[in-house]
Amino acid sequence: MATLTADTASKISTEGLSEFSDLRDALFHRLNVISAAGLFVDTYYPALSSSRADIASFYMPASAMPDGKPLPVIVYNGNVIRDPTAMQTLFQDQMPEARYEIQDYDCQVLNPHYVAEGTQGSSPASGKNMTILVTVSGHVRFGELRAATMRGFSENFVLIPNPAAATNTRGKHIKGWLIQSQNFRLVV
Amino acid sequence: MLHQPPPPTGPRASGRLASSRLPSRGGIQKRNTTPARVDKDGDLVMDQAGANVRASGRGRGAAIRGSARVRRTGISESLGARTSRPTRTGIDPSAIQKAVLRGMGSSETAPRGPRSSLRNIRGRGIIRPTDEAWDQITVKGFKQSKAATNPGGGISELIAFLERKATHPDAPETVKIKKSRLQGDALIISVRPEDTSKIERLNNFQFAGAALGIEVSRRKTSEPLASNADSETPNTIDVLKSVLSRRYNTDEKLLDLSQLGTDPELVNIGMFSTTSRESKFFPALMKICDSIFTTAHAKEEAVVSVSLANNALITIASVTTLSQTFPALKNLDLSNNKLKNLTALEGWRWKFRKLDQLILTGNPIEAEVPKYKDDVIKWYPTLTLLNSIQIRSLEDARAAVNGKLPIPILGPSFRDEAAISENFVKQFFPAYDGDRTALVNGYYDAQSTFSISINLSAPHTAETTNQKLPGWEAYLRKSRNLTKITHPPSRMSRLHTGTESIRDGFTTLPVTRHPDIMAEPQKWCVECHTIPGLPDPTGQSSSGVGGLMVMVHGEFTEVDVSTGHSTATRSFDRTFVLGPGGGVGGIRVACDTLVLRAYGGHDAWRPEVEDGAAIPRTQAQVQHQIDMPAGFALSGPGKTEEQVQKEVLAVELSKGTGMTLEFSGLCLEQSGWNLEGAAASFEQAKVCLHALDT
């Protein structure tokens, strides 16, 4: 975001009259980020509760960082989860019923000019070529019992644009953002 | 259908209808004693058969009986039936329950509550002639009167008031209320039919400051009185209580409700003589249990097991109230019924959340749905025994009860790169407490972003529950909690970008003191891992450069600068993204998000397993100390090279397994002195031994 502002500012100074559309774009991008984060939070947690067969679809495909470390990174209470499939299987087969309540979320643009290696990215004006840091605070009740203890949790995500969404011309419903990094921690 | 159906005595219609006994079937089974229409709700529409049934408050609902001798049914029946399925007619199910129970009471007849649609139903068959000689009137509104606070709730005052006001001064006889009974907010009174209109006139009269609402809920029947057998029917509630006490095993905490249909006491009072009575029987029984055990705890303590075996149940619909009355039941026996598929059990899906043992043997479901167990196991995550076969370990069941996580809570996953995160965290928090301006200058740049959000409703530790929690005034105007802040300009302005804005953000937050991470590490949970795709400050790579995610959970106190005293303790979660940059140590903070919440302690991240135990140790990592005779496994006079070799192998095996040299020698002998083979057979043997031990 910062860069968008700085870019806009420098463009305004150099190109004069184009400022309004750029400012509008900048604002549009910022709102886009927040709505992307909001949509993510609104869909991911319900999936953990009630559509666990969809969990893996929230993640980028298993791949590796330049230094060979696996992506996406998934850490759950200190446990490193191997890949999205393992995460989904964990929830489908082992995790007790879980009811989440999101009490707080926040987001920031992490990289405002991000295009994944080997992809063409979306059009620069779309506001989709960036990565987003999402932080969530809330509580979760594990188990079947109504009286299950309320556990506070803190979780953060890095979302990256879904390359498939950039080339999605058929209007199919494809997630615009995918999890690249996730860390969940019970904190209360 | 709670009882074994009587043996067939002939063609359905003739044999049973002639004797006015209805064929026994499930409580809410459709009846086809006469051609019946089914309306869109699936309820029977019975009005076409109305000649025998004198009235029906609603278009449907009156079940047909073969003769007038059959007891009050009609609406009560349809209500009773409806309790076992979701009501779509807008009738309050709890009211129905009450009505059903009232229907069971010996002194009462069909539930004709004050609802207008159910009023003024006359001329039903009866059970208790004495009772039916009176009209029944519902009196409401007195709860709002001043007298309601009197001892006894003002009931005696109300009765006296009604009798006094209803009696005409010149009348030869005073109006007498024969019976009264409290039901919710209403007082149900019984009066002689000739007095009814006099009481009715008192509608809207003021009683101790409150207007009374008076409705006739039932008028005396003009039907012929019931037979002697009926008039001798013992008090149903007393019978049910007697049945319960007779069938309750104190030692086993077992309520044995098997073979109810042949229970002489129940048969004697004609409990199953009509579907109507039958459908009300079980809910009433449960109501009585509820009245005996008033708390959930008392019920859980007293009734651990229930048997409903041998009741010819086609579905659990007629006994579904069991799950409401005994939700914490541990053992349930449904054997030898007529349950034939999962639909028949569906009503109890996700019920009995503590069920440990379930018996479904002797039901057609075994043959008709061979895989039913898979579903039943899922329905009851705490179940360990199904049909007496262990289907889940006790630990797993317990874990399901407690909502225990399948993977343990581990210590921090700290996967640092060149100690960057470690150094950053050690420096950051003391600096945040001491000199935030220097901190911003040291780590943040024009593209860095910072935001703070407050989770006002976060769970907190029990110790703080009763204390007054510190307020959030100093933070609220800065909070970027996007669940609360929805106005786009506020969302924008609460994100700080660049050193200047971040410095402003930092320095206007209260002064803090974080615990020393070296001295009190338990108060901190710091995790980190590398991520790709951070902005490249050189602008060369659009796919970005590598960086570190640093997640910090901990606590701090706010400090009153003038006194130096701590004023409030809060918990925080802070996420940093660190990337290469021009700050201290060549790094920059790309993102900094801070979440504040009520103090929640630090027990949540205490590892459930010690680090050592979390990693299964392989045999290779464990070297056992072994007692070795002098010169063993060494060349010596009189030893062949082969012998030495064997001794060396035995030592190797003993080191790996912890077995004695003698045993290692035996194992090796068996495996032809193949070390790997011997180790493998040891592992197998160990598994077996372990299984025997436990």
Side-chain angles (χ1 to χ4, degrees), chain A residues 1-3 6 27 30-31 34 65-67 69 71 73 75-81 90 94-97 102-117 131 133 135 137-139 142-145 150-152 154 156 158 180-188, chain B residues 350 353 381 400-401 403-413 415 417 446-447 449-451 453-455 457-460 480-484 488 491-492 495 497 525 527 529-535 542-543 549 551 553 573 575 577 590-593 595 597 600-601 604-605:
Chain A
M1 299 311 273
T3 342
L27 196 64
R30 287 186 168 200
L31 291 170
I34 294 174
M65 294 187 223
D67 62 1
K69 290 184 185 131
L71 277 175
V73 180
V75 184
Y76 197 93
N77 280 327
N79 299 270
V80 178
I81 311 293
L90 175 70
Q94 291 179 273
M95 211 57 138
E97 190 176 298
I102 308 311
Q103 297 164 321
D104 176 9
Y105 76 92
D106 193 3
C107 66
Q108 296 179 5
V109 172
L110 174 49
N111 185 343
H113 304 293
Y114 175 83
V115 176
E117 200 102 44
T131 65
L133 172 69
T135 54
S137 175
H139 71 67
F142 292 114
E144 308 283 351
L145 303 181
M150 202 191 270
R151 303 294 309 268
S154 167
N156 62 54
V158 174
Q180 181 200 50
S181 159
Q182 170 185 22
N183 186 306
F184 175 93
R185 206 25 116 162
L186 288 176
V187 292
V188 184
Chain B
W350 304 114
R353 297 331 285 167
V401 176
K404 187 176 160 51
L405 298 182
I407 50 172
I409 290 170
L410 298 184
S413 164
R415 293 178 288 165
E417 198 77 26
Q447 276 76 48
T449 47
F450 164 73
S451 53
S453 66
I454 314 299
N455 180 355
S457 37
H460 42 82
R480 197 169 183 257
N481 181 342
L482 296 174
T483 67
K484 302 277 191 288
R491 288 178 156 192
M492 295 303 162
L495 175 69
T497 304
C525 177
E527 301 189 277
H529 59 254
T530 50
I531 54 158
L534 265 66
S542 66
S543 60
M549 296 279 301
M551 284 78 44
H553 310 285
D573 310 299
T575 301
V577 181
C591 298
D592 174 1
T593 65
V595 174
R597 50 190 170 79
W605 55 75

Side-chain angles (χ1 to χ4, degrees), chain B residues 193-269:
Chain B
E194 54 269 31
D195 288 336
T196 303
S197 60
K198 298 172 189 163
I199 298 277
E200 231 177 337
R201 270 204 309 270
L202 305 181
N203 193 23
N204 290 327
F205 266 47
Q206 291 285 320
F207 167 63
L212 294 176
I214 293 175
E215 282 181 342
V216 179
S217 38
R218 192 198 69 219
R219 290 181 196 272
K220 169 184 177 287
T221 175
S222 56
E223 293 278 298
L225 296 184
S227 70
N228 284 339
D230 279 324
S231 66
E232 283 160 10
T233 303
N235 180 309
T236 313
I237 288 177
D238 290 343
V239 170
L240 293 184
K241 281 184 175 166
S242 146
V243 167
L244 279 174
S245 64
R246 186 160 43 78
R247 288 169 166 268
Y248 177 61
N249 181 326
T250 322
D251 295 337
E252 292 178 29
K253 300 186 175 184
L254 164 71
L255 190 54
D256 182 359
L257 302 177
S258 63
Q259 289 184 302
L260 288 166
T262 54
D263 188 298
E265 216 173 343
L266 292 171
V267 172
N268 189 37
I269 60 160

Side-chain angles (χ1 to χ4, degrees), chain A residues 116-129:
Chain A
E117 200 102 44
T119 67
Q120 59 183 68
S122 299
S123 87
S126 70
K128 286 177 180 164
N129 292 332

Side-chain angles (χ1 to χ4, degrees), chain B residues 72 76 98-106 108-111 277 280:
Chain B
R72 57 207 168 71
S76 66
K98 280 180 201 150
V100 167
L101 178 59
R102 186 151 34 95
M104 294 303 302
S106 66
E108 302 303 333
T109 57
R277 303 206 77 197
K280 289 174 220 149

Side-chain angles (χ1 to χ4, degrees), chain B residues 7 24 145 149 340 518 616 624 638:
Chain B
S24 82
S145 76
T149 54
K340 68 172 181 199
M518 302 309 284
H624 293 273

